């Protein structure tokens, strides 16, 4: 038997482990089971190079055994085990890494020798939850003797012979009172599945208590019924070997989402780095759901974290998926990635593969691409705003839904409408409130594109910046020349008169609201008036509301123009009665009504104005009945 002090090169290492290196208490399970996984991986490598032929038929597995009365958790593996010297080296001297030495020894004999965890600092996470930790281990090496290592508090240790008979290692944790929740079978199963749903070796959870009343599903008293993990995740298969149904089932299983994904991208890269995974484009119930994506990052099939922004381009976090990146460097807690060359290369590659997939669907299955667009357009637009390379690659496959229900690229839209509106792109932000303007367009066989999501106000300005010759105008900001007729010289006097009448009346009825009155000869006879809102002033107002709700009306006052349609019968009637004194009150009332009708076609009336509009409507209808 040997007693001694552990060689620690940093003072107060355990408070650091508890409070800084490991932000989540259940991390100890990830560390210890990862170590067990590594121990098995090491033994498999040893067998492959012929150093342990007699173990070829071993069925490798990891067991997690709970004992509530004894307040213990055991993590058992049948991996490589340790000799007494290795225990002293890897456990007592924290600064040394067993994985490092192992890789050095076998680097020329076997490929894919990546080791996830290793005995060293990660092992000491056991003291986050334990009053006492015991290791029983037997090395695969010939004539090895089983060793028991015990420590209470993690500073002093005791070593003595162990009664372990089989090759491998058992870590026994004697839990502290504040960590007894991990003795609950369902709780432990949830933690294991969080980190190890796809570990390459089977994990069995059991409760050796005589009465395991709290046993989870698939966990029986005294034995493990079924492995809790899938050792062969779909992302490890070649894409050609995966069916559409398998992709959909995997999606449901991982994300508990029973809405089928739209489509997916299977990543399988071996050079210049290793990367496997599947990215799914989910169906969205509403726009706000775009913020609910989830990319699970794995390291050799061990879960690391969700949505690691250093690896995953920010806009891809709107998607759902799994990525396994064994080439990524991890810090001691494995929770955060270090920034290095591999990270940027992986991020760029993922972005490129997403762009390639979108282009492929656009070119090979345009009908499906159009159907997907309503769901994927917020993601695509956000990606363009965040990554210029992504935009440059996919800009020709960005499409826009039109008011006629078509899906056109910007190039197609401009080409189709060139004779009517040159390089102007008219858009709709609200199909209901802008319905009258849409109808005017449709009457002249014109169409606008629909930009109704929150991101579109940013996106259209981005496109204007990138494509200088393109300018966007909301459908209520300007009248296309196509909607007008050439002004008949005979109407000049009428136009001047009606404009003067309305300007004088509106100075009285609109009070301090600034509005310009303009008369046009519109092709549509059904529209008496419309209100145009300056594109520039409205954008500035919207920007102020978006960024902190600032009122920018003083800096950028709302610029509105009331357009009176001299081709409309109501306006014609008003011109006729404009010189009749006894019709003066009627003319004023009709002018107010025309203004309110124009406002309603663009926006809601304020409560007081709506009340007056209803009262005035009743009076006007009564006059018709006289």
């Amino acid at each position: 038997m040997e007693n001694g002090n552990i060689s620690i090169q940093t003072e107060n290492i355990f408070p650091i482990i508890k409070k800084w290196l490991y932000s989540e208490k259940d991390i100890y399970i990830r560390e210890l089971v990862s170590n067990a996984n590594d121990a098995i991986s090491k033994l498999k490598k040893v067998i492959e190079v012929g150093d342990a032929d007699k173990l070829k038929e071993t069925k490798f597995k990891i067991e997690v055994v709970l004992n509530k009365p004894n307040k213990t958790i055991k993590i058992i593996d049948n991996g490589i085990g340790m000799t007494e010297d290795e225990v002293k080296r890897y456990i007592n001297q924290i600064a040394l890494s067993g994985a490092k030495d192992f890789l050095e020894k076998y680097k020329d004999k076997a490929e894919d020798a990546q080791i996830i965890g290793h005995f060293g600092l990660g092992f000491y996470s056991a003291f986050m939850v334990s009053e006492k930790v015991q290791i029983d281990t037997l090395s695969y090496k010939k004539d090895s003797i089983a060793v028991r290592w015990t420590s209470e508090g993690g500073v002093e240790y005791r070593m003595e012979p162990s009664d372990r008979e089989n090759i491998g290692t058992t870590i026994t944790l004697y839990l502290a009172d504040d960590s007894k929740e991990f003795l609950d079978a369902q709780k432990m199963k949830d933690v294991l599945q969080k980190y190890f749903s796809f570990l390459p070796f089977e994990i069995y959870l059991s409760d050796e208590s005589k009465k395991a009343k709290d046993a989870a599903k698939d966990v029986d008293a005294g034995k493990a019924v079924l492995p809790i993990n899938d050792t062969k995740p779909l992302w490890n298969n070649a894409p050609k070997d995966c069916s559409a149904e398998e992709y959909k089932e995997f999606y449901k299983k991982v994300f508990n989402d029973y809405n089928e994904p739209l489509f997916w991208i299977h990543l399988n890269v071996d050079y210049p780095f290793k990367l496997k995974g599947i990215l799914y484009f989910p169906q969205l119930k509403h726009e706000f759901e775009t913020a609910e994506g989830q990319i699970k990052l794995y390291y050799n099939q061990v879960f690391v974290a969700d949505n690691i922004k250093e690896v995953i381009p920010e806009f891809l976090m709107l998607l759902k998926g799994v990525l396994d990146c064994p080439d990524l460097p991890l810090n001691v807690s494995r929770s955060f990635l270090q920034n290095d060359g591999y990270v940027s290369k992986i991020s760029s590659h993922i972005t490129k593969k997403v762009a390639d997939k979108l282009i492929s669907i656009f070119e090979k299955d345009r009908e499906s691409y159009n159907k997907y667009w309503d769901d994927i357009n917020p993601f695509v637009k956000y990606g363009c705003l965040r990554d210029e390379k992504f935009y440059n690659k996919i800009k020709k496959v960005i499409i826009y839904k039109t008011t006629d229900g078509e899906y056109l690229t910007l190039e197609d839209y401009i080409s189709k409408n060139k004779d009517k509106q040159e390089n102007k792109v008219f858009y709709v932000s609200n199909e209901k409130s802008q319905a009258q303007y849409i109808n005017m367009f449709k009457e002249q066989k014109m169409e606008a594109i629909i930009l109704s999501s929150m991101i579109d106000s940013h996106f259209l300005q981005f496109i204007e910046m990138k494509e200088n010759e393109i300018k966007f105008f909301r459908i209520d900001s300007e009248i296309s020349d196509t909607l007008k007729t050439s002004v008949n010289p005979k109407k000049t006097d009428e136009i001047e008169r009606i404009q003067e009448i309305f300007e004088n009346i509106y100075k009285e009825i609109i009070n301090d609201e600034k509005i310009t009155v303009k008369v046009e000869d519109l092709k549509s006879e059904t529209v008496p008036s419309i209100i145009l809102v300056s594109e520039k002033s409205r954008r500035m107002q919207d920007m102020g509301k978006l960024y902190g709700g600032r009122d920018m009306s003083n800096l950028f006052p709302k610029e509105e123009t009331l357009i009176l349609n001299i081709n409309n019968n109501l306006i014609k009637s008003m011109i006729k009665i404009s010189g009749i004194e006894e019709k003066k009150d009627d003319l004023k009332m009709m002018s107010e009504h025309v203004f309110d009708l124009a406002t309603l076609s663009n926006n809601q009336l304020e409560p007081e104005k709506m009340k007056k509009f209803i009262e005035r409507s009743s009076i006007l209808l009564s006059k018709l009945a006289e």
Side-chain angles (χ1 to χ4, degrees):
M1 185 171 73
E2 176 183 327
N3 296 321
N5 292 322
I6 296 167
S7 172
I8 300 176
Q9 297 184 0
T10 305
E11 293 182 1
N12 301 320
I13 190 71
F14 293 106
I16 293 174
I17 288 174
K18 288 187 177 184
K19 295 182 180 180
W20 182 65
L21 293 181
Y22 299 100
S23 56
E24 297 181 43
K25 199 173 183 181
D26 61 19
I27 289 293
Y28 80 94
I29 285 291
R30 186 185 72 185
E31 296 294 324
L32 297 179
V33 175
S34 290
N35 286 340
N37 179 75
D38 291 343
I40 295 173
S41 297
K42 289 179 180 181
L43 185 54
K44 284 194 69 176
K45 297 299 180 185
V46 169
I47 294 170
E48 287 173 12
V49 297
D51 284 1
D53 287 341
K54 65 179 181 179
L55 298 173
K56 280 185 177 179
E57 302 304 319
T58 302
K59 180 185 178 183
F60 295 111
K61 65 179 180 177
I62 298 167
E63 296 178 80
V64 178
V65 182
L66 310 178
N67 190 311
K68 212 166 190 177
N70 294 342
K71 296 198 301 184
T72 62
I73 299 174
K74 294 179 182 178
I75 294 93
I76 307 168
D77 69 69
N78 55 351
I80 199 165
M82 290 183 287
T83 64
E84 182 177 352
D85 287 342
E86 287 170 337
V87 172
K88 291 178 180 178
R89 190 176 187 193
Y90 302 146
I91 303 302
N92 296 344
Q93 298 178 27
I94 292 177
L96 299 176
S97 166
K100 182 178 179 181
D101 291 348
F102 177 81
L103 287 177
E104 185 67 27
K105 180 177 179 181
Y106 288 100
K107 66 180 181 180
D108 296 325
K109 295 184 179 180
E111 296 179 356
D112 192 25
Q114 287 284 354
I115 302 301
I116 305 167
H118 50 270
F119 283 100
L121 191 55
F123 161 73
Y124 279 87
S125 64
F127 289 95
M128 294 171 63
V129 295
S130 307
E131 294 177 341
K132 173 182 170 183
V133 177
Q134 178 177 304
I135 303 173
D136 289 275
T137 184
L138 177 60
S139 173
Y140 80 97
K141 294 176 181 176
K142 187 177 181 181
D143 300 326
S144 292
I145 298 172
V147 180
R148 173 171 292 167
W149 178 95
T150 309
S151 178
E152 296 183 23
V155 177
E156 295 181 350
Y157 69 88
R158 182 173 70 253
M159 289 184 65
E160 58 190 324
S162 169
D163 57 1
R164 184 179 175 99
E165 298 178 352
N166 300 318
I167 292 169
T169 300
T170 299
I171 310 291
T172 304
L173 310 180
Y174 294 83
L175 295 184
D177 287 340
D178 63 357
S179 301
K180 290 191 292 185
E181 73 266 22
F182 291 106
L183 292 169
D184 179 83
Q186 187 60 55
K187 164 82 173 178
M188 180 56 71
K189 183 179 179 183
D190 291 343
V191 173
L192 289 171
Q193 290 185 325
K194 172 183 175 181
Y195 292 111
F196 304 112
S197 287
F198 304 107
L199 200 72
F201 302 109
E202 291 182 344
I203 304 174
Y204 293 87
L205 173 62
S206 62
D207 192 325
E208 63 182 4
S209 307
K210 289 183 179 179
K211 293 183 179 180
K213 292 182 180 179
D214 64 336
K217 184 181 179 182
D218 300 335
V219 179
D220 201 355
K223 64 178 180 178
V225 180
L226 294 170
I228 58 94
N229 59 318
D230 176 1
T231 61
K232 297 178 180 179
L234 192 65
W235 72 72
N236 277 342
N237 297 347
K240 64 181 178 62
D241 297 329
C242 303
S243 67
E245 284 307 311
E246 286 176 318
Y247 282 117
K248 293 174 185 177
E249 284 303 314
F250 185 76
Y251 176 78
K252 292 177 185 177
K253 175 182 176 181
V254 175
F255 300 105
N256 293 317
D257 187 345
Y258 289 89
N259 294 306
E260 288 189 355
L262 300 172
F263 57 95
W264 47 85
I265 302 170
H266 194 141
L267 303 167
N268 196 335
V269 184
D270 287 321
Y271 182 83
F273 48 79
K274 292 182 179 179
L275 170 68
K276 293 184 179 181
I278 306 170
L279 294 177
Y280 290 93
F281 289 71
Q283 294 184 46
L284 304 179
K285 297 185 186 71
H286 48 75
E287 183 182 351
F288 296 104
E289 206 174 33
T290 57
E292 299 176 4
Q294 183 182 31
I295 306 290
K296 292 177 175 287
L297 185 66
Y298 290 80
Y299 185 96
N300 280 336
Q301 297 177 224
V302 176
F303 174 73
V304 176
D306 290 320
N307 296 350
I308 300 279
K309 64 182 180 181
E310 289 87 350
V311 179
I312 304 159
E314 186 179 4
F315 70 93
L316 287 184
M317 292 183 191
L318 305 178
L319 306 182
K320 293 183 178 181
V322 292
L323 295 175
D324 196 341
C325 310
D327 280 341
L328 290 175
L330 305 179
N331 68 5
V332 69
S333 72
R334 300 196 192 101
S335 292
F336 302 98
L337 296 168
Q338 301 167 353
N339 288 309
D340 74 346
Y342 271 125
V343 171
S344 59
K345 288 179 182 177
I346 289 172
S347 179
S348 296
H349 180 80
I350 294 171
T351 300
K352 178 181 180 299
K353 295 299 289 185
V354 170
D356 289 344
K357 180 69 174 183
L358 293 172
I359 293 168
S360 175
I361 299 174
F362 177 86
E363 293 176 347
K364 297 178 181 178
D365 189 0
R366 180 65 184 275
E367 184 178 350
S368 294
Y369 188 84
N370 291 349
K371 289 178 181 178
Y372 297 151
W373 187 250
D374 289 345
D375 282 287
I376 69 172
N377 82 83
F379 147 76
V380 173
K381 292 169 183 175
Y382 187 55
C384 292
L385 293 174
R386 301 299 298 180
D387 190 326
E388 188 171 357
K389 289 182 179 178
F390 180 73
Y391 169 70
N392 289 333
K393 192 166 179 62
I394 61 100
K395 62 182 180 180
K396 291 188 180 298
V397 303
I398 298 171
I399 59 176
Y400 302 82
K401 186 178 181 180
T402 74
T403 48
D404 287 341
E406 291 185 282
Y407 288 87
L408 304 175
T409 65
L410 207 54
E411 186 179 351
D412 292 339
Y413 173 84
I414 290 171
S415 176
K416 185 176 180 181
N417 296 280
K418 193 167 187 177
D419 295 339
K420 301 173 183 177
Q421 54 205 49
E422 298 180 344
N423 282 340
K424 291 180 180 178
V425 179
F426 284 96
Y427 68 97
V428 175
S429 61
N430 188 315
E431 291 178 82
K432 289 184 178 179
S433 66
Q434 293 152 20
Q436 181 171 325
Y437 303 87
I438 294 172
N439 289 335
M440 289 172 59
F441 265 55
K442 287 186 175 181
E443 285 176 5
Q444 304 306 319
K445 301 191 182 307
M446 295 173 61
E447 57 189 340
I449 63 174
I450 300 170
L451 296 176
S452 56
S453 67
M454 289 188 298
I455 199 172
D456 283 327
S457 60
H458 297 283
F459 186 67
L460 65 86
Q461 293 185 73
F462 172 82
I463 296 295
E464 287 177 334
M465 181 179 67
K466 292 295 180 184
E467 313 295 333
N468 293 325
E469 71 281 6
I470 302 297
K471 294 297 177 187
F472 287 84
F473 295 89
R474 202 168 77 177
I475 201 169
D476 61 349
S477 68
E478 183 175 306
I479 294 181
S480 169
D481 290 339
T482 311
L483 299 177
K484 308 174 190 176
T485 60
S486 299
V487 178
N488 188 332
K490 294 180 180 180
K491 292 184 179 180
T492 303
D493 291 340
E494 294 178 351
I495 289 174
E496 291 177 355
R497 188 161 73 253
I498 194 67
Q499 186 161 337
E500 182 182 359
I501 290 168
F502 271 77
E503 284 177 346
N504 290 333
I505 290 174
Y506 289 147
K507 283 179 184 178
E508 179 183 345
I509 65 174
I510 302 175
N511 298 322
D512 61 344
E513 292 186 35
K514 294 181 180 179
I515 189 164
T516 302
V517 178
K518 192 175 181 181
V519 181
E520 296 282 3
D521 197 348
L522 302 181
K523 289 181 179 179
S524 175
E525 298 178 2
T526 59
V527 178
S529 60
I530 57 174
I531 286 180
L532 301 182
V533 183
S534 163
E535 181 75 17
K536 181 179 179 181
S537 69
R538 182 186 50 75
R539 287 195 197 184
M540 297 308 298
Q541 290 281 353
D542 290 346
M543 190 179 298
K545 294 175 184 176
L546 191 63
Y547 293 103
R550 291 178 58 195
D551 182 1
M552 302 182 73
S553 57
N554 292 329
L555 293 174
F556 302 97
K558 192 174 184 180
E559 298 175 14
E560 293 185 336
T561 302
L562 175 69
I563 301 294
L564 301 171
N565 181 14
I566 201 170
N567 197 30
N568 174 260
N569 287 332
L570 175 58
I571 302 299
K572 290 177 181 177
S573 298
M574 293 174 69
I575 293 172
K576 288 180 182 178
I577 67 171
S578 61
I580 305 173
E581 181 64 26
E582 57 267 31
K583 295 289 185 180
K584 184 177 179 180
D585 290 341
D586 289 348
L587 183 62
K588 179 181 176 182
M589 185 164 49
M590 292 168 70
S591 299
E592 290 177 333
H593 215 65
V594 166
F595 178 75
D596 284 350
L597 287 171
T599 302
L600 281 170
S601 70
N602 180 266
N603 212 333
Q604 291 183 340
L605 287 174
E606 295 174 3
E608 186 60 32
K609 289 184 178 181
M610 177 58 77
K611 177 185 174 185
K612 290 181 179 179
F613 175 78
I614 293 171
E615 291 173 351
R616 195 188 313 115
S617 297
S618 178
I619 294 170
L620 289 171
L621 289 172
S622 297
K623 285 182 175 291
L624 287 175
E626 291 177 358

